[in-house]
Amino acid sequence: MKIDILTLFPEMFETLKSSIIGRAINKNLITLNCINIRDFSKNKHKKCDDYPFGGGVGMVMMPQPIYDALNFVDPEHTALRIYLSPKGKILNNCLAKKLSFSKHLVLLCGHYEGVDQRILDNYIDDEISIGDYVLTGGEIPAMVLVDAVSRFIPDVLGSDESAYKDSFEDGLLEFPQYTRPENFNGFKVPEVLLSGHHKNIEEWRLNQKKEITEKNRPDLIKKLNSDNND
Ligand code: 21W
């Protein structure tokens, strides 16, 4: 998959190129290309933002540099163009999986009060938010999206860490994990995990999943019940 990221702060994406995503880039499973929108400004001071028509606080990103950057990375508009926006639909694992089938994603990161609406209305395919909290820009959301989507691309994860086995695949949160030592500061590993009795272990883990989901995410239990009644 090719991913082009349009941003005023391309250096923010350096940290994304480590760990599992870095390995995927080195294996040519993902091509990550960060484009500085400022390079496309036709203004002599490389200006990319201006005051909002109608008044109000803050600055709005100008359409021209973004339009030229979009045409540079995706001249035929064959890519899926996404604007990271607090007003977008909320990212979840189901959407991340769908996006993982795209050949080419273009991610537009806003800053300040966002981008001129005419760009969104005419040159962007989708608007995605990462949740109901306010950030300072779309860069961290773009990294979150790249990370979540990459896990669904074949061979990005090892076969035993498959994204298809994760939380949310069965609608429940995951069971707790333990490793050595058996006794840590007097705190013991649950006996059943040491028993070697696979059927009991499976039963215990499913019970733990239900308990933790009921406690932390009752909304997921409600969703499970309503899906089963369909
Ligand atoms: C936040 C831009 C708020 C504009 C004055 C009074 C992308 C994001 C973002 C940002 C506003 C995402 C206002 C979750 C996020 C993002 C920056 C609007 C209105 N101005 N997902 N009220 N949260 N955020 N300010 O913030 O660009 S995806």
Side-chain angles (χ1 to χ4, degrees), residues 120-210:
L120 309 181
D121 289 344
N122 300 295
Y123 306 107
I124 291 293
D125 303 312
D126 218 345
E127 292 186 45
I128 296 177
S129 161
I130 63 163
D132 292 337
Y133 34 82
V134 184
L135 303 170
T136 56
E139 283 77 12
I140 291 172
M143 291 187 237
V144 168
L145 188 146
V146 169
D147 200 278
V149 169
S150 298
R151 299 178 74 262
F152 285 105
I153 297 174
D155 302 325
V156 166
L157 298 185
S159 54
D160 42 316
E161 29 180 30
S162 167
Y164 288 89
K165 292 193 225 162
D166 270 321
S167 266
F168 306 119
E169 277 305 311
D170 62 2
L172 293 172
L173 301 178
E174 290 198 339
F175 54 78
Q177 303 276 10
Y178 298 87
T179 187
R180 286 184 288 187
E182 274 179 36
N183 181 327
F184 179 73
N185 289 349
F187 301 111
K188 307 257 177 64
V189 170
E191 200 66 52
V192 61
L193 298 179
L194 310 173
S195 68
H197 194 301
H198 297 295
K199 195 164 172 295
N200 287 355
I201 292 173
E202 212 134 285
E203 200 176 278
W204 180 85
R205 284 180 165 167
L206 181 59
N207 252 320
Q208 291 286 309
K209 288 169 67 132
K210 287 179 183 161

Side-chain angles (χ1 to χ4, degrees), residues 55-106:
V57 296
M59 302 295 272
V60 176
M61 287 171 70
M62 296 155 50
Q64 174 272 316
I66 296 172
Y67 178 72
D68 288 351
L70 283 168
N71 281 335
F72 177 73
V73 298
D74 180 32
E76 312 284 335
H77 197 158
T78 50
L80 183 61
R81 299 174 171 186
I82 296 168
Y83 174 53
L84 284 306
S85 162
K87 293 193 284 193
K89 62 171 116 144
I90 293 185
L91 180 65
N92 58 26
N93 235 24
C94 177
L95 179 53
K97 189 191 295 179
K98 284 182 195 150
L99 295 176
S100 75
F101 296 107
S102 307
K103 271 181 63 181
H104 186 188
L105 295 180
V106 176

